[in-house]
């Protein structure tokens, strides 16, 4: 079922959902199930599965020369989605990127998803590959998520890349896109970012999931700005509990979000990471309760492959 239908069906009740990462190559899919199992009692209407593009490694060969090697450390997004739908009967949402995909790759990926009865996709641009500073699209690929949304929407209307294809089957994907309450790192200002977010909606996206944030007021302000600009689709907040002291620097660096001073002070006081986890859980419970009280339709948790803290939060909130 589509995310938008799940929201409608819940009739105002806040639902619980979460995102997982494919395991590192070489690990068994059981590691994924072990993290999903404890969260199933909270009846997630959908589970997101991230997509991880290739990385370039340089390995030393004879004569000190370097050989470029392309590796995918976390393959398996589509397979995991199929396994989740099969095992749990819950909608799995694969993330799909512009980065590393030509339009043809995208179309073929979408055909697979359609054959697997996957009803939703999260359309993203992706970041630059690790060894590069700026995002570079494939030669025959998309530069922005809004263009990817257009291609998915065209497939939803039975329009394939090869115009000579006949009797084409239309897909029926519900399309989600990303948004950043604290602005995407490359956007010159929040207004510009919202302008392009609006374009993703105009091109066919019907719901939004936000980057993580630790201060609800930033989310509320962002939603207000989006509504003023005429964006009416659901804006699902993304939440992540802090779990280690290192994340005080890692999260701002990696995700370009601020941490509130009170949260930082609490974390700094902690003797070890067990204490940090507890602070992170309590902070996230407080955030979740406030969002729930505000009537937000879905709270979406970034599990990063570890479910124990998310389970504790869900027990307290749902
Ligand atoms: P876009 O919407 O294309 O925006 C990128 C930047 O370009 C923004 O600054 C925007 O303002 C600007 N922009 C947009 N259109 C135009 C235009 N026409 N002209 C000029 N500027 C423009 N990454 C992964 O690799 N795998 C994942 O599974 C994944 N899942 C994610 C899930 C969520 C909920 C979120 C919030 C992020 C996720 N990401 C993932 C990270 C995401 O790929 C990066 O944040 C990426 O840098 C931007 O993706 P986007 O889809 O928001 O890009």
């Amino acid at each position: 079922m589509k995310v938008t239908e799940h929201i409608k069906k819940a009739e105002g009740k806040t639902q619980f959902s979460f995102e997982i990462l494919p395991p590192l190559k070489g690990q068994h899919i059981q590691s994924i199930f072990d993290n999903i199992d404890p969260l199933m009692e909270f009846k997630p209407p959908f589970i997101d599965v991230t997509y991880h593009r290739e990385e370039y490694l340089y390995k030393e060969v004879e004569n000190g020369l370097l050989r470029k090697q392309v590796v995918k450390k976390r393959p398996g997004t589509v397979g995991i989605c199929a396994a989740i739908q099969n095992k749990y009967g819950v909608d799995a949402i694969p993330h799909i990127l512009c980065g590393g995909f030509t339009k043809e790759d995208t179309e073929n990926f979408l055909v697979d998803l359609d054959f697997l009865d996957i009803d939703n996709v999260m359309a993203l641009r992706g970041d630059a590959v690790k060894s590069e500073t700026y995002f570079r699209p494939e030669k025959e690929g998309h530069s922005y998520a809004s263009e990817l949304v257009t291609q998915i929407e065209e497939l939803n209307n039975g329009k394939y890349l090869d115009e000579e294809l006949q009797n084409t089957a239309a897909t029926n994907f519900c399309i989600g896109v990303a948004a950043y309450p604290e602005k995407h790192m490359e956007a010159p200002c929040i207004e510009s970012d919202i302008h392009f977010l609006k374009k993703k909606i105009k091109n066919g996206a019907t719901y939004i999931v936000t980057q993580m944030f630790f201060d609800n007021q930033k989310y509320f302000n962002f939603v207000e700005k989006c509504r003023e600009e005429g964006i009416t689709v659901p804006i699902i907040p993304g939440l992540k509990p802090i779990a280690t002291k290192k994340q005080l620097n890692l999260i701002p660096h990696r995700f370009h979000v601020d941490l509130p001073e009170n949260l930082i002070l609490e974390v700094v006081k902690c003797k070890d990471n067990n204490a940090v986890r507890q602070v992170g859980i309590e902070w996230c419970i407080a955030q979740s309760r406030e969002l729930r009280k505000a009537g937000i339709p879905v709270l979406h948790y970034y599990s990063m492959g570890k479910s124990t803290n998310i389970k504790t939060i869900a027990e307290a909130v749902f």
Side-chain angles (χ1 to χ4, degrees):
M1 200 195 281
K2 293 182 174 191
V3 167
T4 45
E5 289 164 357
H6 280 297
I7 291 175
K8 214 181 268 170
K9 206 172 139 210
E11 295 178 332
K13 192 168 164 262
T14 304
Q15 300 179 88
F16 163 85
S17 79
F18 60 97
E19 175 186 291
I20 57 163
L21 280 70
L24 285 167
K25 194 185 246 182
Q27 288 180 13
H28 200 272
I29 194 165
Q30 188 57 41
S31 62
I32 291 288
F33 297 149
D34 290 344
N35 278 300
I36 295 178
D37 286 344
L39 301 177
M40 289 314 291
E41 65 176 285
F42 307 105
K43 302 194 169 26
F46 56 87
I47 299 170
D48 276 59
V49 184
T50 54
Y51 190 93
H52 299 259
R53 65 176 300 185
E54 72 285 1
E55 289 176 31
Y56 303 140
L57 297 182
Y58 292 87
K59 293 213 166 153
E60 200 168 328
V61 288
E62 293 152 30
N63 306 329
L65 292 174
L66 294 176
R67 184 160 50 92
K68 185 174 165 185
Q69 198 179 334
V70 183
V71 288
K72 253 192 189 177
K73 291 188 177 166
R74 293 182 185 272
T77 300
V78 176
I80 292 169
C81 285
I84 289 174
Q85 296 209 156
N86 187 34
K87 184 171 162 70
Y88 300 101
V90 168
D91 282 300
I93 307 185
H95 291 192
I96 174 171
L97 305 181
C98 302
F101 280 72
T102 63
K103 289 176 194 154
E104 182 75 23
D105 294 335
T106 301
E107 187 170 277
N108 295 337
F109 190 90
L110 292 167
V111 166
D112 273 345
L113 302 184
D114 186 45
F115 288 171
L116 286 168
D117 251 341
I118 286 171
D119 294 333
N120 304 277
V121 283
M122 182 76 185
L124 301 144
R125 188 196 70 178
D127 288 319
V129 284
K130 280 208 176 112
S131 47
E132 294 174 0
T133 312
Y134 298 106
F135 174 81
R136 233 171 0 106
E138 291 302 299
K139 208 159 156 238
E140 297 293 328
H142 298 298
S143 299
Y144 296 106
S146 55
E147 298 169 4
L148 174 58
V149 171
T150 298
Q151 185 179 0
I152 303 169
E153 189 58 12
E154 282 181 350
L155 215 61
N156 280 347
N157 289 309
K159 189 171 171 219
Y160 287 65
L161 293 172
D162 179 356
E163 285 171 4
E164 286 174 17
L165 279 187
Q166 297 201 343
N167 304 319
T168 52
T171 56
N172 189 19
F173 293 114
C174 172
I175 309 167
V177 288
Y180 306 82
E182 296 177 56
K183 181 181 96 55
H184 183 257
M185 61 173 163
E186 295 163 28
C189 64
I190 190 82
E191 287 73 19
S192 155
D193 215 14
I194 291 177
H195 168 81
F196 290 119
L197 174 62
K198 203 172 164 185
K199 196 163 173 195
K200 295 194 269 194
I201 306 302
K202 186 172 151 265
N203 292 1
T206 52
Y207 75 97
I208 292 167
V209 181
T210 77
Q211 181 59 281
M212 65 184 75
F213 55 88
F214 297 88
D215 174 355
N216 284 352
Q217 199 50 51
K218 295 202 166 152
Y219 168 82
F220 292 131
N221 294 347
F222 177 72
V223 172
E224 199 182 323
K225 276 200 164 105
C226 289
R227 300 303 182 224
E228 279 166 13
E229 287 304 313
I231 295 173
T232 56
V233 302
I235 303 178
I236 298 172
L239 297 165
K240 178 186 155 47
I242 291 259
T244 65
K245 247 184 203 181
K246 233 173 150 182
Q247 287 174 340
L248 284 187
N249 301 112
L250 208 143
I251 287 176
H253 180 68
R254 170 85 184 80
F255 300 103
H256 302 266
V257 299
D258 284 347
L259 299 175
E261 192 182 0
N262 285 350
L263 174 59
I264 299 169
L265 292 176
E266 286 301 312
V267 171
V268 168
K269 268 195 270 168
C270 291
K271 287 210 176 73
D272 56 28
N273 278 340
N274 281 338
V276 176
R277 277 171 66 82
Q278 200 46 42
V279 167
I281 286 170
E282 280 163 22
W283 191 272
C284 195
I285 289 173
Q287 272 195 284
S288 306
R289 285 187 173 148
E290 190 183 25
L291 291 164
R292 198 175 169 187
K293 215 166 144 202
I296 308 301
V298 183
L299 306 186
H300 189 68
Y301 294 89
Y302 295 114
S303 81
M304 310 302 224
K306 296 199 181 75
S307 58
T308 45
N309 51 358
I310 306 292
K311 182 173 161 72
T312 311
I313 294 160
E315 274 165 352
V317 177
F318 293 92

